């Protein structure tokens, strides 16, 4: 049945046209308007009940005779009006005696209107054997009302815009139907060849109708759907699994476990472990530079040696602790990774300049050196208070420098809680290296113990001779340098009770640091007697 909306749509233009072209030459529209007018104005004559009864006596097979429970005279009268118009409209030769065809081919203006008269179709005249509504661009679902005319032999609904399902079951009473054309419509896909009824028609009745007539094609589509869908689901599951387990960095941030990296992430970050990204290599350690998906530059230290399951658990536990560390003078550990043949620690990427190179090549001023010492002590204090189990390396070649010339402790690990004395001793050596001439230490070929014993044999005066003169030492700085130097000496004295506590170290170094801040920057010598006051405001914060 054509939808109500399309019917209303048709009424509107018709009424407008009647007003503008009242004595119109536009034949079909006028006729159409006549139907509606007749339906409105004409009423059954008083003896219509008698006429109907007589008709039924003469021809009991008439549809309206069998309609139950009571005959609706008004509907039957409207039906007869529509029937007479439609018969004439369909160019039947003699509408008084016979009404063999409903032919509204190529009549888009009126076709929908006639389709909408349900009361007509309900009493569809038995004389009608052929119905043609083709080429009318009618929209809507299949016009089920037409199927009230069960006696028809021919039905043509081709070249319209019918959509939805073809009511396959409703066709079965149309036993005399020999011609059917549903071509060029937009029906939804359904397999007609399944139904016994449609077997007598061939595919030319369903060209471009949307319905599938060809059994094979339907089967193929069904198979594609039946096989394709599970395959699709499986692929989705595999894909999601891959994302979750291999590339969690593709997940929304809230689902990411940021500390655990997968081998696939590392592979992507290093462009497949490319040689350009390999920045350091030994037998068991490979160090790569990488870029994560969010743009973070990272250093990836890969350990290729085999370790036992227990050691691996220990490794993970340690990594979890290292990831917790948060200090501006500590290289940030971002996470770890376990691959089949390696484990790796991922840290933020830092410039490779270390304090040793810096001292050697740039001969920094005392101000800069004491700032580095301050940073290191600050970090040591943080670790002692929050993470006493974390051990670190204070060698000048392992402490890096940030862009802002802040020291960055880059080698650390979870170790022994009770080695504060050694940590402080190491700091002492670091202090000496920061202050004294490099040449002295080089003679000991990296052996700290020998270096320490040698230093301890020296007198203060001798030591002062060894202060790195490239600092451009002045009267004022010299005092501070000497103070810090003696602090260093106290620190390396591991045996005696003279070794200061970290708090004491912190106090001394901060004092030196604060004093250095009020000094004019750079390597300017201050003339003796210059007052420092004028600079005082600068950097105390
Ligand atoms: C037809 O209807 C009229 C009243 O509308 C009634 O008087 C008459 O008996 C009816 N005739 C038949 C045959 O039912
Ligand atoms: C039937 O149609 C013809 C033109 O085809 C017209 O002249 C005639 O008036 C129509 N009759 C009725 C009853 O509508
Ligand atoms: C369908 O109708 C249009 C005019 O509405 C006409 O031009 C066209 O030839 C018709 N097509 C067929 C197949 O009858
Ligand atoms: C089909 O045609 C035969 C013979 O003309 C007729 O007897 C029969 O009632 C028709 N079937 C329907 C469903 O109208
Ligand atoms: C389909 O059937 C019609 C008769 O109903 C026939 O003329 C036509 O050749 C058939 N077409 C095919 C493709 O079999
Ligand atoms: C149905 O209509 C289309 C379009 O007019 C036509 O191509 C096709 O041959 C027709 N099919 C039959 C069985 O007449």
């Amino acid at each position: 049945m054509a939808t109500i909306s399309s019917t209303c749509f048709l009424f509107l233009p018709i009424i407008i046209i009647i007003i503008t072209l009242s004595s119109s030459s536009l034949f079909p529209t006028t006729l159409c308007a006549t139907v509606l007018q007749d339906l409105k104005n004409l009423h059954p004559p008083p003896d219509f009940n008698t006429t109907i009864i007589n008709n039924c006596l003469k021809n009991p097979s008439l549809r309206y005779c069998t309609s139950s429970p009571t005959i609706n005279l008004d509907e039957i009268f409207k039906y007869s009006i529509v029937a007479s118009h439609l018969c004439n409209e369909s160019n039947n030769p003699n509408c008084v005696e016979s009404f063999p065809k409903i032919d509204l081919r190529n009549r888009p203006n009126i076709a929908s209107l006639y389709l909408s008269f349900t009361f007509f179709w309900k009493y569809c005249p038995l004389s009608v054997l052929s119905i043609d509504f083709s080429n009318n661009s009618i929209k809507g679902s299949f016009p089920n009302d037409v199927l009230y005319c069960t006696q028809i032999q021919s039905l043509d609904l081709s070249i319209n815009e019918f959509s939805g399902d073809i009511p396959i079951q409703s066709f079965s009473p149309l036993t005399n139907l020999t011609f059917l054309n549903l071509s060029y419509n937009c029906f939804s896909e359904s397999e007609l060849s399944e139904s016994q009824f449609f077997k007598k028609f061939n595919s030319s009745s369903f060209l471009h109708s949307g319905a599938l007539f060809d059994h094979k094609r339907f089967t193929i589509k069904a198979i594609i759907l039946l096989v394709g869908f599970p395959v699709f689901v499986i692929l989705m599951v595999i894909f999601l699994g891959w994302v979750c387990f291999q590339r969690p960095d593709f997940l929304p941030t809230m689902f990411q476990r940021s500390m655990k990296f997968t081998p696939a992430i590392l592979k992507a970050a290093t462009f497949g472990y490319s040689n350009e990204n390999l920045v350091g290599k030994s037998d068991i350690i490979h160090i790569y530079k990488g870029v994560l998906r969010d743009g973070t530059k990272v250093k990836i230290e890969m350990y290729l040696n085999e370790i036992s399951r227990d050691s691996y658990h220990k490794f993970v536990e340690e990594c979890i602790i290292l990831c917790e560390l948060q200090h501006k003078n500590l290289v940030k550990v971002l996470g770890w990774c376990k691959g089949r043949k390696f484990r790796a620690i991922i840290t933020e990427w830092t410039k490779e300049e270390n304090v040793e190179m810096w001292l050697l090549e740039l001969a920094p001023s005392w101000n800069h050196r004491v700032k580095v010492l301050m940073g290191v002590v600050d970090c040591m204090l943080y670790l002692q208070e929050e993470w006493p189990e974390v051990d670190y390396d204070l060698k000048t070649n392992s402490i890096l420098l940030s862009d802002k010339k802040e020291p960055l402790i880059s080698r650390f690990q979870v170790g022994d809680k009770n080695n504060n004395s050694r940590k402080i001793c190491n700091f002492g050596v670091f202090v000496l290296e920061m202050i004294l001439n490099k040449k002295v230490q080089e003679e000991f070929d990296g052996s700290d113990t020998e270096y320490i014993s040698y230093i301890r044999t020296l007198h203060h005066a001798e030591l002062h001779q060894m202060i790195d003169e490239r600092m451009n030492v002045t009267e004022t700085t010299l005092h501070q340098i000497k103070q810090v130097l003696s602090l260093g000496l106290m620190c390396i004295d591991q045996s005696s009770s003279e070794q200061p506590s970290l708090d004491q170290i912190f106090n001394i170094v901060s004092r030196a640091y604060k004093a250095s801040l009020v000094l004019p920057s750079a390597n300017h010598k201050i003339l003796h007697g210059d007052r420092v006051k004028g600079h005082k405001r600068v950097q105390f914060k």
Side-chain angles (χ1 to χ4, degrees):
M1 197 180 105
T3 59
I4 294 179
S5 64
S6 69
T7 320
C8 295
F9 204 74
L10 250 159
F11 279 122
L12 198 65
I14 291 167
I15 292 161
I16 292 165
I17 288 164
I18 295 165
I19 295 163
T20 50
L21 311 163
S22 48
S23 59
S24 164
S25 55
L26 210 63
F27 192 51
T29 352
T30 329
L31 261 183
C32 180
T34 335
V35 188
L36 296 173
Q37 255 164 15
D38 284 358
L39 285 177
K40 210 168 137 197
N41 300 334
L42 296 180
H43 297 286
D47 62 341
F48 191 62
N49 55 357
T50 329
T51 320
I52 296 299
I53 288 165
N54 285 341
N55 282 353
C56 287
L57 283 175
K58 261 190 262 166
N59 187 358
S61 69
L62 282 171
R63 278 211 170 75
Y64 58 71
C65 301
T66 54
S67 68
S68 56
T70 47
I71 288 173
N72 183 334
L73 288 183
D74 212 50
E75 257 195 355
I76 296 172
F77 183 72
K78 272 159 64 181
Y79 148 80
S80 61
I81 292 174
V82 169
S84 74
H85 282 289
L86 187 53
C87 179
N88 199 343
E89 205 65 61
S90 302
N91 297 318
N92 285 293
N94 179 0
C95 282
V96 179
E97 285 175 10
S98 76
F99 183 6
K101 62 177 182 189
I102 295 173
D103 180 4
L104 292 184
R105 182 184 191 83
N106 306 339
R107 305 288 295 278
N109 288 334
I110 58 169
S112 293
L113 178 65
Y114 279 107
L115 268 185
S116 73
F117 294 135
T118 303
F119 53 83
F120 167 78
W121 298 103
K122 224 164 105 183
Y123 304 121
C124 177
L126 287 171
S127 58
V128 172
L129 297 180
S130 158
I131 298 177
D132 189 348
F133 272 94
S134 70
N135 196 25
N136 286 318
S137 311
I138 308 170
K139 290 190 173 69
S141 49
F142 187 93
N144 282 313
D145 287 353
V146 166
L147 301 183
Y148 281 119
C149 313
T150 47
Q151 76 287 351
I152 52 168
Q153 294 164 1
S154 158
L155 175 63
D156 194 339
L157 296 176
S158 64
I159 322 183
N160 280 297
E161 289 163 32
F162 290 118
S163 54
D165 290 333
I166 296 173
I168 297 175
Q169 298 306 321
S170 314
F171 270 90
S172 45
L174 283 68
T175 46
N176 288 349
L177 192 72
T178 51
F179 177 89
L180 176 66
N181 200 346
L182 300 181
S183 304
Y184 299 97
N185 277 293
C186 322
F187 294 114
S188 45
E189 230 167 63
S190 53
E191 201 199 0
L192 299 174
S193 58
E194 285 284 277
S195 149
Q196 195 60 34
F197 181 85
F198 290 97
K199 287 238 161 76
K200 53 185 159 182
F201 308 106
N202 61 31
S203 58
S204 67
S205 299
F206 307 100
L207 305 169
H208 304 280
S209 63
L212 282 176
F213 188 72
D214 190 346
H215 188 78
K216 262 192 206 155
R217 267 180 54 207
F218 186 84
T219 318
I220 289 169
K221 280 205 174 186
I223 288 173
I224 288 174
L225 209 72
L226 276 173
V227 176
F229 185 70
V231 167
F232 173 76
V233 169
I234 290 168
L235 288 179
M236 274 312 282
V237 168
I238 291 174
F239 174 73
L240 284 177
W242 178 78
V243 167
C244 284
F245 293 107
Q246 299 282 314
R247 293 302 302 272
D249 52 333
F250 277 101
L251 291 172
T253 332
M254 56 185 293
F255 296 117
Q256 290 182 17
R257 288 187 305 159
S258 54
M259 298 187 306
K260 182 127 200 264
F261 287 75
T262 63
I265 292 180
L266 299 191
K267 198 171 174 190
T270 56
F271 302 101
Y273 304 116
S274 76
N275 275 336
E276 284 94 83
N277 288 57
L278 185 65
V279 293
K281 186 175 175 180
S282 75
D283 280 350
I284 55 160
I285 304 178
H286 287 184
I287 298 175
Y288 284 94
K289 180 180 186 171
V291 183
L292 300 182
R293 263 194 80 232
D294 62 4
T296 317
K297 285 187 185 160
V298 292
K299 183 165 124 188
I300 300 165
E301 270 184 55
M302 294 174 71
Y303 299 87
L304 305 174
N305 54 334
E306 296 267 331
I307 55 167
S308 67
R309 182 172 282 264
D310 283 348
S311 314
Y312 173 67
H313 286 306
K314 202 160 157 266
F315 164 75
V316 170
E317 274 166 25
E318 288 183 14
C319 287
I320 291 173
I321 292 176
L322 297 184
C323 288
E324 296 276 309
L325 305 182
Q326 285 275 15
H327 192 273
K328 70 175 177 10
N329 297 112
L330 208 51
V331 170
K332 179 89 191 100
V333 177
L334 300 174
W336 74 92
C337 172
K338 165 87 175 91
R340 228 177 301 159
K341 290 187 179 154
F342 69 89
R343 76 220 125 84
I345 295 186
I346 295 91
T347 57
E348 70 180 353
W349 181 259
T350 44
K351 278 209 316 193
E352 279 300 289
E353 185 181 21
N354 62 39
V355 170
E356 188 179 33
M357 283 153 58
W358 179 62
L359 290 173
L360 209 65
E361 289 163 16
L362 296 175
S365 69
W366 170 245
N367 293 19
H368 287 160
R369 293 185 198 213
V370 78
K371 180 180 176 189
V372 167
L373 285 173
M374 189 69 240
V376 169
V377 172
D378 199 44
C379 187
M380 286 170 74
L381 200 61
Y382 160 78
L383 290 175
Q384 175 174 294
E385 282 169 3
E386 313 258 338
W387 304 97
E389 67 270 45
V390 172
D391 210 352
Y392 41 82
D393 183 351
L394 293 182
K395 290 228 162 34
T396 44
N397 60 13
S398 81
I399 295 184
L400 305 177
L401 282 173
S402 74
D403 292 332
K404 292 176 188 156
K405 295 283 179 266
E406 282 279 356
L408 283 170
I409 295 180
S410 73
R411 276 192 221 142
F412 41 90
Q413 62 185 42
V414 178
D416 186 8
K417 264 180 199 241
N418 304 313
N419 55 8
N420 274 339
S421 166
R422 193 172 53 73
K423 284 175 185 171
I424 285 170
C425 178
N426 288 345
F427 177 72
V429 175
F430 179 67
V431 167
L432 297 180
E433 287 184 51
M434 289 287 282
I435 293 177
L436 297 187
N437 217 321
K438 179 76 186 159
K439 278 180 210 139
V440 189
Q441 198 204 357
E442 272 169 359
E443 284 167 22
F444 294 95
D445 209 17
S447 162
D448 280 351
T449 27
E450 285 172 35
Y451 178 57
I452 290 171
S453 348
Y454 169 70
I455 292 287
R456 290 180 64 190
T457 62
L458 300 176
H459 297 293
H460 277 254
E462 285 171 303
L463 269 176
H464 293 167
Q465 293 284 307
M466 287 161 59
I467 290 176
D468 187 351
E469 67 279 3
R470 298 176 308 157
M471 277 193 277
N472 288 338
V473 184
T474 67
E475 296 274 346
T476 347
T477 54
L478 186 61
H479 176 64
Q480 293 165 12
I481 294 171
K482 282 181 182 169
Q483 266 186 340
V484 176
L485 182 58
S486 27
L487 173 71
L489 291 172
M490 279 153 72
C491 289
I492 59 174
D493 195 357
Q494 224 171 333
S495 56
S496 82
S497 53
E498 268 187 56
Q499 198 180 34
S501 73
L502 199 47
D503 289 321
Q504 288 167 321
I505 294 175
F506 182 82
N507 287 338
I508 294 170
V509 174
S510 350
R511 233 180 295 134
Y513 174 60
K514 283 176 186 165
S516 81
L517 288 180
V518 298
L519 290 174
S521 60
N523 299 334
H524 268 274
K525 287 194 181 187
I526 308 171
L527 291 174
H528 189 66
D530 253 8
R531 306 306 301 240
V532 207
K533 259 186 204 156
H535 303 278
K536 219 162 195 160
R537 12 133 240 119
V538 213
Q539 289 160 65
F540 273 111
K541 278 183 190 159

